[in-house]
Every structure is written in structure tokens, then in C-alpha cells.
Amino acid sequence: MTDDATRSRHGVLFAIAAYTMWGIAPIYFKFLQQVPALEILGHRIVWSFVLVLVLIIGLRRLHRIKPVVKNRSHMLRLTLATFLLGGNWFLFIWAINNNHILDASLGYYINPLLNVAIGMVFFAERMRRFQLIAIALAVTGVLIQVISFGSVPWVALALAFSFATYGAIRKRLPVDSMTGLWLETTILLPLMLIYLFFFADSAASDMTQNTWQLNLLLMAAGIVTTAPLLCFTAAAQRIRYATLGFFQYIGPSLMFILAVWIYGEPLAADKLVTFAIIWAALALYSIDTLLHQQRSRRA
């Protein structure tokens, strides 16, 4: 096997690992169901800050932080992206622990199509005909749920829009993922520490009174946050980004399976119709992308 083939194979394995970890993350958060979502978010920020700092020091990447911090424009945009990401993380945790895993799954199914739409509107990227049809299908699926069933999938839409907007901002920032993640957690760290020390009042808020098992689970939030991101970065360095996109459906698919078959969330008619149309849109989008790649190779 050639070096390029080996590198690509490793990239595929890293991609599968990243999206699988994101897909089964609800299992971890369900173990912390007795802890308020904002407290879990606080621990996620604190322990990710610590873990990523250790990695940055270990990999000798401290020199990458200063140029970003000194650039006011970059820091303003990164701060905006950070609050979008923090809101996305909080809503995701809340959704998992309030039996809305199906909504979270739907949100991350919508996300890639929303990315395409953002690319067209804000980055002047040209869309192919079938991509436009796929986006129109996704919009139709949501509208049918709103008009016919009178329910707005606000959790799914908020997750999709917050993460897609975060991604659009980060796309234009020349900051690598590890440095970016550490700066994002650094920006949120003071707010989370103030909340944890002065406002959190749940039974789990005092770590000195918790069982060691619960404290380990809370500290593991750093690993749950960082590990899939590192795998994703490793995959992105080894395989084409378009190829990487095909693996992004692993996460919401695993969430869907967990929601319906493990945690028993009801798959009501409104959600089933919306899911079916979104799946059709994603199938069309994926087939179009695959055919476009094949034509590009032949050219």
C-alpha cells in the first residue's frame, strides 16, 4: 500500500472515529442527567480549557496563540463565534437531558444543507442545480411540519443555525482548530467560573461533596469535547474535505438510533415527515456531490 493510500485510510478511520464520538455523546450526557445543563456546560468549558492547554504545551504550539490575541479583528470575530458555539453546546446538552435527542439529530441533519446555503448567500459560492433542489426540499420539510402540524422544530433549527453560523465565521479565521478551541474556552472560562462558584446551587455543584464517580464524569467533559475534534482535524489533514463531508451523517444517524430505540423518544408524525424529506434532500445532495467529484477526476 502506497503512503498516500495509507494516509487516506487513516484519514477515513479518524473521520469515522470523530463522527461516531459526536453521535454517541448523548450517552455521556444522559449519565449526567441529574446535573443542570448550564453546570455541565461550565465543566465542559473548564476541563476542555485545561486539557487543550496541556496539549498545546505538549505539542509546543504556544507560539500560535499570541498572533491571534494581538489581532483585534480576529479576536472580535472569534468572540462572536465563541458565544454561538457556547449557545450551541448549552442547547445540545439541554436537548439531550430533556428528551429531545430526535430534535438534535434533525438539527445536525439540516446543518450540511444550511452550510451550502450560507456558502451561496455569504461567500458567493455557485450552487449546482441539485444542491439548490436539496436545499428547497429541506425548507419544504420544515414548512410542512410548521403548517400542517403546527409545530416549529425550534431546537433543531437553533442547533443547525448556531453551528452553521459558527462554522461560517471560523471558516474565514486563520486559526487552527486546537488554538481556536483553547481561545474559545478561555473567552468563556471567566463567565463559567463565576457561575460555578457563585450561582450554581444543584446537589452536584460542590465537587467536594460529590462521589468520585460523578466528579470523574464531570471532568470527562473535557475529553468528550476535545477527542472528536482532534480526530476530525486529523481526518481533515489526510482526506479531501468533500470526502470528509460524507461521514458527517454518522453523528445524527447514531443520535436518531439512540433516541428511538434506546431512549424511547416518540417518533411523531410531524417529525417523521420532516425526517423523511430531509433524508431525501441529503441523499440528493450526496449523489450530486459524488457525481461532481467523479466528473472532476475525469477532467
Side-chain angles (χ1 to χ4, degrees):
M1 185 175 289
T2 65
D3 289 343
D4 285 344
T6 301
R7 184 176 175 84
S8 294
R9 186 181 67 175
H10 289 166
V12 168
L13 293 175
F14 277 124
I16 293 172
Y19 285 110
T20 299
M21 283 188 278
W22 276 322
I24 63 175
I27 298 174
Y28 164 76
F29 290 113
K30 280 289 188 182
F31 278 119
L32 291 171
Q33 198 162 12
Q34 76 274 25
V35 182
L38 195 55
E39 281 188 37
I40 299 174
L41 177 64
H43 284 282
R44 189 172 190 178
I45 299 300
V46 170
W47 301 115
S48 294
F49 169 87
V50 173
L51 179 57
V52 178
L53 180 60
V54 170
L55 290 172
I56 287 175
I57 294 172
L59 296 171
R60 298 179 179 178
R61 294 185 180 181
L62 279 171
H63 64 280
R64 298 185 181 184
I65 297 172
K66 188 176 180 179
V68 183
V69 174
K70 290 179 67 176
N71 190 309
R72 184 178 179 182
S73 174
H74 288 173
M75 284 304 298
L76 285 173
R77 283 185 285 164
L78 187 65
T79 300
L80 175 59
T82 296
F83 282 99
L84 284 167
L85 182 64
N88 179 275
W89 282 355
F90 170 76
L91 184 57
F92 180 78
I93 296 167
W94 179 91
I96 299 306
N97 288 348
N98 285 273
N99 302 314
H100 289 284
I101 302 177
L102 274 176
D103 290 311
S105 171
L106 179 61
Y108 289 110
Y109 273 128
I110 294 173
N111 187 72
L113 297 172
L114 192 56
N115 286 338
V116 175
I118 286 175
M120 178 179 64
V121 175
F122 294 101
F123 301 124
E125 295 177 358
R126 296 186 62 184
M127 297 296 104
R128 297 184 296 275
R129 182 191 311 166
F130 288 114
Q131 288 180 319
L132 290 171
I133 294 173
I135 294 171
L137 270 176
V139 173
T140 301
V142 173
L143 287 177
I144 287 175
Q145 180 170 341
V146 174
I147 297 170
S148 299
F149 298 93
S151 60
V152 180
W154 68 269
V155 173
L157 292 176
L159 285 171
F161 273 91
S162 60
F163 197 70
T165 307
Y166 163 79
I169 295 171
R170 288 288 275 115
K171 177 182 173 70
R172 290 298 179 91
L173 278 174
V175 182
D176 67 89
S177 59
M178 191 177 296
T179 302
L181 178 61
W182 187 75
L183 287 172
E184 286 161 355
T185 56
T186 301
I187 291 168
L188 292 174
L189 185 66
L191 294 175
M192 292 295 98
L193 288 176
I194 290 171
Y195 171 75
L196 289 173
F197 282 112
F198 298 105
F199 296 99
D201 60 355
S202 76
S205 59
D206 185 353
M207 294 187 71
T208 63
Q209 301 298 316
N210 293 339
T211 64
W212 65 268
Q213 294 96 330
L214 178 56
N215 281 339
L216 277 181
L217 277 173
L218 292 170
M219 295 170 68
I223 298 173
V224 171
T225 301
T226 307
L229 181 66
L230 294 179
C231 287
F232 175 83
T233 302
Q237 292 170 345
R238 289 167 172 80
I239 58 178
R240 289 160 52 97
Y241 206 74
T243 304
L244 185 62
F246 285 106
F247 294 99
Q248 65 190 329
Y249 308 130
I250 293 174
S253 297
L254 289 172
M255 290 181 204
F256 183 89
I257 291 169
L258 287 172
V260 176
W261 283 286
I262 304 299
Y263 297 114
E265 289 189 16
L267 185 57
D270 57 342
K271 289 180 181 176
L272 183 57
V273 170
T274 305
F275 268 109
I277 295 175
I278 296 294
W279 287 331
L282 289 172
L284 183 63
Y285 168 75
S286 299
I287 292 169
D288 175 73
T289 302
L290 186 60
L291 292 174
H292 180 71
Q293 285 183 7
Q294 291 177 345
R295 285 195 294 268
S296 299
R297 290 194 193 103
R298 287 196 295 266

